[in-house]
Amino acid sequence: MTTTTETDVAVDRSTARPAQAGGPGEVGSAPAEGGSAAAAFVRWGLAAYLGAVVLVVGGILVYLRGHFGYVLDDAAIHLSIADHLAHDGTWGVTAGSFESASSSPLWTVLVAVGALAGPGVRDWTPLLLNVAAGVGVVVLLGRHQAVLRPDRRRLLDLVATAVLVVVVLFLPGLAVVGMEHTLHVLLVLAAVILVHRREEGRADRLPTGAPYALVALATLSRFETAFVAVGLAAGVLVAGGGAVGGWAGVRDGIRDAAARRRAVGLVAASAVPIAAFGVVNRALGGGWLPNSVLAKGQGTDADGDGLGVIDIANRLTQDPLVAALFAVAVVYLAVTWGRPAAARLPGVTLVVATAGHVVLADVGWYERYQAYLIAVGVYVGLTVLAELPAEAARRALVAAVGLCLVLGATKANGLVRAPRAADDMYRHHYQAARFLDRYYDEASVATDQLGYISLYHDGPLTDLAGLGDYEVLRAGPPDPEEWEELARRRGVRVVVLFDYSVAGRAPDSWIVAGQLRLDGRDTTSVSRTLQFLATSPDELHPLQDRLAEFAADLPPRVELQINEYADLQVFARELRSG
């Protein structure tokens, strides 16, 4: 007769559901050959993830004829700040001038390490960091789930794992965004899982302060972590009721002094880095938050009248996967309300964090801002599936895979179009940066497309979008007279703007000398036309001559058009001014 010790039972509960009979592809059947559910998920998940990354990066290299670029210009903003930080000790996009242009202090410092090795390593550093963080996400998720055991004989689990890693979590897409979002996903997911395990009484070898350290690091990667910290605190208070469920459990949790201390600690772990950042930022002449957060804050509608229920609902449903996972968490909490509370902590965290995000933060723009919510939602979904009977879990998994493919269509399309998106940035922003670097190095220029221009142009730079220029940000909405006065005061010679920014915003004294126009449909570029403006008649002809010379060095799929009516426009303006 074989005896089972209490330790054996504890290990079994933390690693897998009880084995049940089932055929290939069934959730809850015996573990796949060659290892546990965790090992199988990690092995096949990494294969799907790294394979997709290779395909996407390879497509970018083919599209850009051997060059590599990211799908958004924003990645170059962090590269620019990191480069200045590494080589001249400046936190900003112009040497010697502080600007709080990065929304991710931790990410910028990590990229700065790569920048020390030179431009060749620097430009690849965001991709390498993202791939490493993505590997961490797959391993972390795999080690803390017992539902998916992919194997060649278990095609449902195999497909589900690939869909989860590639489409739902969108890890390959986040890798070529070139920003901090994958790292943020990893740190947030690690914090949620660790707090959840500890509230359920499952032992780990990490120090007591590990959850707070993870929350602090996640906050320094993105400030939206504050929503997760509040959600975790709420979950801890709910879990404090121990074996008591319902409102009685919530009451007992709130009365539990130890639970209150843990909740306060989690909130403080996020609040302290944000407060410290704000104090330093203010001392250096910036605002309480990074310029990008102040510029893109979503706490009010376009008219400044506050948010209504419809506005919030629209944000929630902007990413259907976020809405679906939010709904799953709400239903799960309602159904399990009378059960012991610790199991519900991830669901509480997701509901609270999602509510905070859709009210105060942004959703979308290449599927990145909400990535951390989806990761927490995936953990909640796998937890829910693990509690279902085997046959019910199998049916639910089939439905979940189909639903994820439908609701994740935008993400799948983003992966397919990633090479074209990187091509947009290369033909537009990168070429504009090359032009200014070649002909206006050390000259004062202005733009509302900060990334590649700030990375490659040396000299004074005015960011008319305000992300890299706190003075512009404080001035409020664009005003032609203010732009004209600012350019005159700073000695700006050339301005690079999208055509929609020129219309109605640019001063009459600025003359369009020419424009870069993308051929075909744009993907992540906000317009097909990027215009070059001279700030005075004296600058017009030199600018046009340089544009004409530069045209011979342009790659395919972009055309440089010289404004043949520029002299007539100057003449007409002189007549109007008397």
Side-chain angles (χ1 to χ4, degrees):
M1 182 175 66
T2 303
T3 60
T4 303
T5 67
E6 183 175 344
T7 303
D8 293 331
V9 173
V11 170
D12 182 65
R13 287 173 180 169
S14 65
T15 57
R17 299 168 59 209
Q20 301 180 38
E26 282 193 344
V27 177
S29 59
E33 291 183 9
S36 66
F41 181 94
V42 169
R43 182 168 59 252
W44 287 99
L46 288 179
Y49 170 50
L50 296 176
V53 169
V54 168
L55 288 175
V56 172
V57 172
I60 291 174
L61 292 173
V62 170
Y63 245 84
L64 275 58
R65 298 189 175 187
H67 295 278
F68 177 75
Y70 298 98
V71 300
L72 294 176
D73 184 55
D74 296 33
I77 299 177
H78 292 277
L79 285 169
S80 175
I81 301 171
D83 196 66
H84 285 298
L85 181 63
H87 294 107
D88 55 53
T90 300
W91 189 277
V93 294
T94 303
S97 177
F98 169 80
E99 282 294 347
S100 186
S102 170
S103 59
S104 180
L106 177 61
W107 180 257
T108 304
V109 170
L110 291 175
V111 176
V113 175
L116 290 171
V121 175
R122 177 201 65 196
D123 294 351
W124 285 90
T125 297
L127 175 65
L128 298 176
L129 288 173
N130 271 315
V131 170
V135 169
V137 171
V138 175
V139 172
L140 184 64
L141 201 57
R143 290 185 62 183
H144 294 91
Q145 66 86 36
V147 175
L148 298 176
R149 299 165 182 162
D151 186 84
R152 289 186 180 89
R153 297 176 303 164
R154 300 170 57 84
L155 295 182
L156 175 58
D157 288 37
L158 197 60
V159 171
T161 300
V163 169
L164 185 65
V165 169
V166 175
V167 178
V168 178
L169 293 172
F170 197 56
L171 293 178
L174 295 178
V176 294
V177 165
M179 296 179 69
E180 70 279 359
H181 302 281
T182 313
L183 176 64
H184 186 225
V185 166
L186 175 62
L187 293 171
V188 165
L189 190 60
V192 171
I193 290 174
L194 184 54
V195 174
H196 183 209
R197 288 178 62 85
R198 290 192 171 179
E199 291 300 320
E200 287 194 325
R202 290 184 281 176
D204 58 71
R205 299 178 181 178
L206 295 176
T208 304
Y212 310 109
L214 285 169
V215 170
L217 288 173
T219 300
L220 291 174
S221 68
R222 285 198 71 83
F223 286 177
E224 290 96 328
T225 304
F227 306 137
V228 177
V230 174
L232 284 172
V236 166
L237 292 176
V238 169
V244 181
W247 290 111
V250 174
R251 183 191 62 229
D252 290 349
I254 294 174
R255 290 176 177 175
D256 187 324
R260 290 201 304 271
R261 285 195 298 271
R262 294 195 298 274
V264 170
L266 288 165
V267 173
S270 184
V272 169
I274 293 175
F277 180 92
V279 170
V280 173
N281 226 38
R282 291 290 293 176
L284 293 173
W288 288 108
L289 293 170
N291 295 349
S292 58
V293 176
L294 294 173
K296 299 177 181 179
Q298 301 296 310
T300 60
D301 63 10
D303 300 323
D305 296 328
L307 283 174
V309 174
I310 300 301
D311 300 303
I312 295 173
N314 285 338
R315 288 187 187 172
L316 177 61
T317 56
Q318 187 171 337
D319 186 332
L321 279 173
V322 172
L325 292 169
F326 178 82
V328 167
V330 169
V331 171
Y332 175 73
L333 292 176
V335 170
T336 62
W337 187 243
R339 298 182 188 175
R344 299 199 302 273
L345 184 143
V348 172
T349 302
L350 179 62
V351 169
V352 173
T354 303
H357 188 103
V358 297
V359 172
L360 296 173
D362 208 350
V363 177
W365 201 229
Y366 210 78
E367 309 301 306
R368 55 195 174 112
Y369 293 128
Q370 67 273 21
Y372 75 105
L373 295 175
I374 291 177
V376 177
V378 165
Y379 179 63
V380 171
L382 291 172
T383 302
V384 172
L385 282 175
E387 295 182 4
L388 297 176
E391 190 58 34
R394 180 179 181 276
R395 290 195 298 268
L397 185 59
V398 171
V401 170
L403 193 62
C404 287
L405 287 173
V406 173
L407 300 184
T410 300
K411 296 181 184 351
N413 184 57
L415 284 176
V416 172
R417 296 180 64 84
R420 187 65 177 255
D423 192 51
D424 283 352
M425 298 298 105
Y426 179 70
R427 311 297 170 182
H428 248 180
H429 302 69
Y430 184 80
Q431 300 308 320
R434 287 182 60 233
F435 174 81
L436 293 175
D437 177 50
R438 180 181 300 181
Y439 297 104
Y440 291 90
D441 199 37
E442 303 299 336
S444 180
V445 301
T447 185
D448 63 351
Q449 300 303 308
L450 188 62
Y452 281 111
I453 290 177
S454 69
L455 181 60
Y456 291 108
H457 171 264
D458 293 321
L461 176 63
T462 297
D463 178 18
L464 297 175
L467 302 184
D469 202 312
Y470 188 57
E471 180 183 354
V472 174
L473 182 63
R474 285 189 302 172
D479 179 86
E481 293 182 1
E482 291 179 359
W483 277 10
E484 185 175 33
E485 189 278 330
L486 183 66
R488 186 184 303 112
R489 175 159 48 85
R490 295 186 177 183
V492 174
R493 296 171 57 188
V494 176
V495 181
V496 180
L497 298 169
F498 277 123
D499 52 354
Y500 72 85
S501 295
V502 174
R505 298 182 183 179
D508 287 340
S509 59
W510 295 0
I511 309 107
V512 176
Q515 60 188 24
L516 284 175
R517 184 168 177 80
L518 289 176
D519 294 334
R521 183 180 178 183
D522 59 283
T523 301
T524 51
S525 185
V526 295
S527 172
R528 293 172 58 199
T529 305
L530 193 61
Q531 298 186 325
F532 296 79
L533 297 91
T535 57
S536 69
D538 292 340
E539 290 288 349
L540 176 60
H541 288 159
L543 175 56
Q544 288 189 317
D545 291 342
R546 289 161 181 162
L547 286 170
E549 180 180 323
F550 186 68
D553 197 27
L554 286 173
R557 212 175 73 81
V558 61
E559 179 184 5
L560 204 160
Q561 302 170 337
I562 302 297
N563 181 12
E564 299 177 354
Y565 302 102
D567 286 325
L568 291 176
Q569 292 170 357
V570 172
F571 180 69
R573 289 168 186 172
E574 289 176 347
L575 285 179
R576 287 199 301 271
S577 63

